[in-house]
Amino acid sequence: MGTGLIIIDVIIIAIVILPFALFINGSKKRSRQLRNTLKTEATEHNCKLDKLEIHGNYAIGVDTSQQKLFFHRKTETAVYSKVIDLSTVMSCKTTKETKRVKDKTKHYDVVEKIGLSFYHRDQNNDAYVEFYNNDLMILSDQLEVAQNWQDYLNQLLSSKDHTIGIQNQKHRVIAVNAS
């Protein structure tokens, strides 16, 4: 009788734990696939990712030396990849689109989309990457992730502009010394 109870207990514990183990394994597998896909795409552009972040169904990474941003999102219906040349970008801004919903007693805003907008020197070439879409996913920490990437990329862009200014000054000095 004791071994029968032990077998039943083991079976019940396995039934309870198995779904969690499968979910965690599937999540790790998706993360690995996103990481590998983004690294492969960076390699195709002769880049190496200095910073890489994976959240749910998307991955974002940047090569600071080549000034390229890589974004990859995979949903049940589509795969979306984008490469942005940061050397032509002036600034980056987090965008949040909301929709006002009216309930019987009150109004509230529903977040429709969250993403990063990239503003280029050539204004016809602006770019956008989407971290969240109300139709496709559940809202979690996408706004915080987008704001962190906005801060990081704007810092990278401002240091790039500072470096370009220093290089231009060096060229002027060399030209003055040569004459």
Side-chain angles (χ1 to χ4, degrees):
M1 181 95 167
T3 57
L5 286 175
I6 292 174
I7 292 173
I8 292 173
D9 288 343
V10 169
I11 291 172
I12 291 173
I13 291 172
I15 290 172
V16 170
I17 293 177
L18 189 61
F20 293 108
L22 292 174
F23 176 76
I24 291 170
N25 189 32
S27 174
K28 287 182 181 180
K29 183 179 177 182
R30 278 190 306 275
S31 290
R32 250 189 330 270
Q33 287 175 340
L34 283 170
R35 178 182 311 275
N36 292 339
T37 301
L38 203 64
K39 284 184 176 182
T40 301
E41 191 164 337
T43 304
E44 289 173 1
H45 287 86
N46 297 322
C47 295
K48 184 179 179 197
L49 298 175
D50 300 318
K51 182 175 180 179
L52 172 69
E53 208 169 329
I54 299 169
H55 290 276
N57 66 343
Y58 66 90
I60 184 169
V62 67
D63 181 338
T64 55
S65 63
Q66 297 288 327
Q67 296 288 309
K68 302 260 190 220
L69 176 89
F70 296 89
F71 182 81
H72 183 81
R73 184 179 69 207
K74 184 176 181 180
T75 64
E76 293 177 9
T77 58
V79 175
Y80 173 79
S81 289
K82 188 130 187 154
V83 179
I84 298 174
D85 184 6
L86 295 176
S87 64
T88 62
V89 172
M90 286 188 333
S91 67
C92 169
K93 184 178 178 187
T94 301
T95 56
K96 179 174 87 168
E97 294 180 25
T98 59
K99 179 173 77 172
R100 170 95 35 191
V101 177
K102 183 179 179 181
D103 199 356
K104 291 182 181 180
T105 58
K106 58 184 173 182
H107 300 320
Y108 54 96
D109 292 331
V110 175
V111 177
E112 289 288 314
K113 294 180 181 182
I114 295 173
L116 286 176
S117 293
F118 296 89
Y119 303 102
H120 290 80
R121 290 178 181 86
D122 173 18
Q123 294 187 7
N124 296 330
N125 197 21
D126 291 342
Y128 178 77
V129 293
E130 190 174 78
F131 288 90
Y132 169 76
N133 185 326
N134 192 25
D135 298 332
L136 302 173
M137 54 190 90
I138 298 171
L139 182 63
S140 60
D141 63 345
Q142 289 93 344
L143 183 59
E144 181 181 335
V145 172
Q147 288 173 337
N148 289 340
W149 273 94
Q150 171 194 316
D151 295 342
Y152 174 76
L153 292 171
N154 282 328
Q155 183 180 14
L156 182 67
L157 293 171
S158 67
S159 68
K160 174 188 73 166
D161 289 339
H162 179 69
T163 305
I164 290 170
I166 290 172
Q167 289 173 348
N168 288 340
Q169 288 174 357
K170 286 181 182 177
H171 289 298
R172 288 185 193 131
V173 171
I174 292 170
V176 170
N177 289 338
S179 33

